């Protein structure tokens, strides 16, 4: 695991991936603000709550539905791929609690933060979302779900309310170093979260290309069906309820719908 692997992924990026990744969190901030009727904190928190074990478009759809209906959704019989814990967290957020007091892991806390502010609130305190694809970038290869689950990056909430981040922040430091090197090479400032977003797009494109070359597995086909269903459902929801929402950041995968 190294910052060199992150720089290598950046060097594989297309001009479109760089442009999209550089503005990814700004675009996600716009989505959060629109689905929450102008409340970026609420929208970002809801997107973070429904992000675990969910693709991005499905995540946006679930958060938008909850914010429209003003009640948490999840658990058995909900018709939604979300847990009872997520439903309860959503209800707490809707009742006025702040996501900082609800979310436990550093990944989803940083995800909410970057979406709320469209990037870092404080450039001297860089945030990076270390999901499986971001950790794969740092490792220089695609990690399996089991490998990612075994990585000590989850963190936990201590009794005093703080969240442990030591292992997580080691990976963040690699992105911060990579961003410094990339900034020198391109002649403009690239933030750590921008380096993460660009290379995240690259990693997912490379994953899809590898899948196409080897032939999709049963798991791949299931994921593709789920992504296609989410894309169709989101397009219908946006057309009916959010017709003015023009930009929604993508994932690096070709459309499955």
């Amino acid at each position: 695991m190294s910052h060199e692997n992150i720089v290598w992924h950046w060097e594989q990026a297309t001009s479109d991936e760089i442009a999209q990744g550089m503005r990814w969190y700004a675009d996600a901030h716009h989505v959060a603000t629109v689905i929450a009727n102008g409340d970026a904190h609420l929208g970002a928190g809801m997107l973070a709550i429904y992000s675990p074990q969910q693709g991005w478009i499905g995540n946006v759809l679930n958060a938008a539905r909850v914010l429209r209906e003003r009640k948490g959704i999840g658990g058995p019989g909900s018709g939604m791929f979300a847990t009872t814990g997520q439903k309860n967290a959503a209800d707490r957020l809707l009742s006025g609690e702040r996501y900082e007091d609800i979310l436990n892991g550093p990944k989803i806390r940083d995800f909410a933060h970057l979406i709320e502010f469209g990037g870092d609130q404080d450039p001297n305190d860089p945030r990076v979302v270390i999901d499986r694809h971001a950790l794969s970038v740092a490792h220089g290869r695609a990690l399996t779900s089991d490998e990612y689950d075994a990585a000590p990056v989850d963190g936990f909430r201590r009794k005093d309310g703080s969240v442990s981040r030591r292992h997580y922040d080691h990976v963040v430091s690699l992105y911060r170093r990579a961003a410094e090197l990339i900034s020198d090479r391109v002649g403009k400032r690239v933030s750590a979260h921008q380096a993460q977003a660009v290379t995240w797009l690259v990693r997912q494109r490379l994953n899809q290309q590898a899948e196409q070359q080897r032939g999709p597995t049963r798991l791949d086909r299931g994921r593709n069906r789920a992504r296609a269903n989410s894309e169709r459902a989101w397009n219908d929801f946006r057309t009916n309820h959010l017709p003015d929402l023009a930009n929604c950041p993508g994932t690096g995968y070709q459309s499955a719908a």
Side-chain angles (χ1 to χ4, degrees):
M1 186 166 62
S2 69
H3 66 268
E4 288 94 344
N5 289 331
I6 301 169
V7 174
W8 181 88
H9 276 78
W10 176 282
E11 292 172 343
Q12 312 313 306
T14 66
S15 58
D16 286 345
E17 286 167 340
I18 291 173
Q20 185 180 16
M22 289 291 287
R23 67 172 191 270
W24 202 95
Y25 286 104
D27 286 348
H29 167 83
H30 173 67
V31 171
T33 302
V34 171
I35 65 176
N37 295 316
D39 188 337
H41 182 274
L42 176 62
M46 199 63 73
L47 286 166
I49 285 170
Y50 282 101
S51 64
Q53 305 301 315
Q54 183 64 263
W56 167 242
I57 295 301
N59 179 195
V60 175
L61 173 62
N62 291 345
R65 282 182 57 197
V66 168
L67 289 166
R68 179 172 177 79
E69 297 174 19
R70 304 300 296 181
K71 63 179 181 179
I73 306 175
S78 66
M80 183 171 169
F81 189 70
T83 66
T84 301
Q86 287 171 299
K87 173 188 180 299
N88 294 338
D91 285 333
R92 290 173 61 188
L93 190 67
L94 288 167
S95 71
E97 290 189 58
R98 295 181 60 78
Y99 67 71
E100 294 90 341
D101 298 323
I102 300 171
L103 303 174
N104 291 324
K107 178 182 71 173
I108 56 174
R109 286 168 66 94
D110 283 5
F111 191 49
H113 177 96
L114 288 167
I115 292 176
E116 179 182 5
F117 297 103
D120 292 313
Q121 182 183 29
D122 179 0
N124 295 316
D125 180 23
R127 310 293 181 95
V128 179
V129 178
I130 308 300
D131 66 357
R132 179 166 63 91
H133 300 301
L135 194 61
S136 294
V137 167
H139 274 273
R141 64 174 179 86
L143 298 179
T144 65
S145 296
D146 288 343
E147 287 176 318
Y148 175 70
D149 290 342
V153 293
D154 283 348
F156 60 91
R157 185 181 291 276
R158 303 183 180 95
K159 291 182 179 180
D160 65 0
S162 63
V163 174
S164 68
R165 300 180 54 104
R166 182 167 66 89
H167 296 290
Y168 188 94
D169 280 343
H170 171 65
V171 187
V172 172
S173 72
L174 299 180
Y175 274 91
R176 186 173 189 176
R177 176 56 180 153
E180 292 171 349
L181 293 173
I182 292 166
S183 297
D184 289 341
R185 294 184 186 187
V186 303
K188 65 177 181 180
R189 186 175 186 276
V190 175
S191 300
H193 68 268
Q194 291 173 320
Q196 175 254 307
V198 170
T199 57
W200 182 78
L201 294 171
V202 172
R203 184 66 259 164
Q204 293 188 90
R205 170 172 57 81
L206 295 177
N207 289 351
Q208 188 176 45
Q209 289 174 352
E211 172 191 314
Q212 292 168 345
Q213 290 172 0
R214 72 170 186 268
T217 65
R218 183 178 179 181
L219 180 59
D220 292 330
R221 289 193 291 271
R223 286 172 173 167
N224 290 336
R225 283 194 299 271
R227 192 164 67 249
N229 291 338
S230 293
E231 289 174 3
R232 284 191 289 266
W234 167 242
N235 287 335
D236 289 343
F237 184 95
R238 180 166 62 172
T239 299
N240 292 325
H241 303 298
L242 300 166
D244 296 330
L245 178 57
N247 296 322
C248 185
T251 62
Y253 283 106
Q254 296 176 3
S255 175

